[in-house]
Amino acid sequence: MTTTAPELTRTDAIQAELDQARRTGPLQHIVIPPCPELLARLRAAMAHAEPDLNEIARIAASDVAMSATLIRSSNGPLFAAGQPVQTVGQAMNRLGLEHTASVMAGFLMQRAIRVNHALLTRFWERSTKRALAMAFIAKKLPGSSPDLAHTFGLFAHVGMPVMMQSVKGYAGTMIEARARIDRSPIATENANHRTDHAVVGALVARVWRLAPSVVAAIRLHHDLEVLGGSGAEPEVHTLVAAGLVAEHLMRRHEAEEPDADWLSHGQAALDWLDVSVDDMLFWEEELRETLDSA
């Protein structure tokens, strides 16, 4: 009796594609910064059904700059109430566990992946806003994980600074991609470098051992024809769709015009999430204070 190997899911296929490109393809020369030890410890602590608060507090207190970031966040306009916070423990109590972990993850990512080019001056600011918007949207969607959504928001475009550091001429490609109207930025990246920031970002997530659904969503976040189709698992669809909505809400918050991805696939994203335009505009009002303070 012969047995047939199980068919690969889209997520499995993406991970296999990344591994192959890393071994023999265009990703061989991409330098991936190692995952910070403190971030790995934080993710391990948060993975438990009941996270170890003492371990998270130890991680937070082990880095003076990260402790200061937590205290500053807890005294910001979104959380400030009563007497100013002065200790990490007080900051954790005021922020809550999820937001504490989000602030810590963002801090550790920024330290590990440096952004030092004029074309990416607002990279981490926008990544933080995207992550907060993603977590907010996930809380509105039954069955969605705010933690996964926040992680996707932080990592969605992380391929850009990594390519800036590793790929000769990538700065020029970014300028060209923004100027061209005959093809997408992703197409320009592939034409010039045989890869793009979605693939490289997915590789970073793969190397850092993030959830497979996050890896797949990063890889597909510009392949928006996937929305509503059968080419990926529902959780991946939801992350990609929510990411498109989050990006659109950020652009509206910054008084920018809708981008090409939203104009071509925004309705498909809303349809997948079963969200109306009115719902989205209501979310925009709820999100305003959060994005103002990010």
Side-chain angles (χ1 to χ4, degrees):
M1 177 178 179
T2 60
T3 58
T4 303
E7 184 177 351
L8 287 179
T9 66
R10 184 66 182 272
T11 296
D12 292 334
I14 285 170
Q15 296 196 76
E17 168 203 352
L18 293 171
D19 292 344
Q20 179 64 27
R22 186 67 165 155
R23 287 193 300 269
T24 61
L27 301 183
Q28 292 179 82
H29 304 297
I30 299 292
V31 178
I32 306 297
C35 179
E37 179 187 356
L38 290 179
L39 182 56
R41 282 176 58 190
L42 175 64
R43 286 174 41 224
M46 290 296 294
H48 296 292
E50 295 185 9
D52 184 343
L53 298 181
N54 290 328
E55 168 68 356
I56 294 168
R58 284 192 293 270
I59 296 167
S62 67
D63 186 291
V64 173
M66 183 160 58
S67 298
T69 298
L70 283 171
I71 292 170
R72 185 168 58 251
S73 295
S74 66
N75 286 323
L78 193 61
F79 293 95
Q83 295 297 315
V85 161
Q86 297 181 335
T87 69
V88 169
Q90 292 171 346
M92 290 178 63
N93 286 334
R94 181 171 288 181
L95 294 173
L97 179 59
E98 283 189 5
H99 198 80
T100 293
S102 297
V103 171
M104 291 167 64
F107 173 88
L108 292 167
M109 276 191 65
Q110 290 182 53
R111 175 174 285 182
I113 301 175
R114 299 292 185 181
V115 175
N116 53 8
H117 196 283
L119 291 172
L120 295 171
T121 52
R122 294 183 61 224
F123 180 83
W124 284 118
E125 175 191 339
R126 297 197 88 252
S127 295
T128 298
K129 289 184 175 183
R130 185 184 306 106
L132 291 171
M134 284 291 297
F136 170 88
I137 291 170
K139 291 175 183 176
K140 301 289 187 179
L141 303 173
S144 292
S145 165
D147 180 54
L148 282 182
H150 185 276
T151 301
F152 170 77
L154 272 181
F155 277 84
H157 291 166
V158 77
M160 290 180 176
V162 172
M163 289 186 74
M164 189 70 79
Q165 294 172 5
S166 297
V167 178
K168 185 178 180 181
Y170 184 67
T173 294
M174 287 191 70
I175 295 171
E176 177 188 351
R178 293 176 182 180
R180 296 191 72 134
I181 59 173
D182 60 323
R183 64 187 184 193
S184 69
I186 287 287
T188 298
E189 289 180 354
N190 275 287
N192 291 357
H193 306 297
R194 296 195 305 129
T195 191
D196 58 64
H197 75 266
V199 174
V200 173
L203 177 63
V204 176
R206 172 82 164 140
V207 171
W208 285 25
R209 299 184 181 277
L210 300 188
S213 59
V214 172
V215 175
I218 294 170
R219 171 64 182 86
L220 297 173
H221 77 275
H222 285 298
D223 291 346
L224 297 171
E225 291 76 12
V226 72
L227 289 172
S230 58
E233 294 83 343
E235 187 172 59
V236 176
H237 278 267
T238 298
L239 287 172
V240 172
L244 189 56
V245 173
E247 195 74 33
H248 182 61
L249 292 176
M250 287 166 56
R251 292 182 72 87
R252 288 179 61 88
H253 181 260
E254 296 168 359
E256 295 182 1
E257 292 294 320
D259 63 11
D261 283 347
W262 180 260
L263 293 174
S264 59
H265 294 93
Q267 189 58 54
L270 293 176
D271 290 345
W272 174 263
L273 299 175
D274 195 21
V275 171
S276 69
V277 172
D278 287 342
D279 291 332
M280 183 185 68
L281 295 178
F282 186 70
W283 291 356
E284 181 182 7
E285 291 298 316
E286 290 188 86
L287 259 176
R288 179 170 287 120
E289 186 177 6
T290 299
L291 295 181
D292 282 343
S293 64

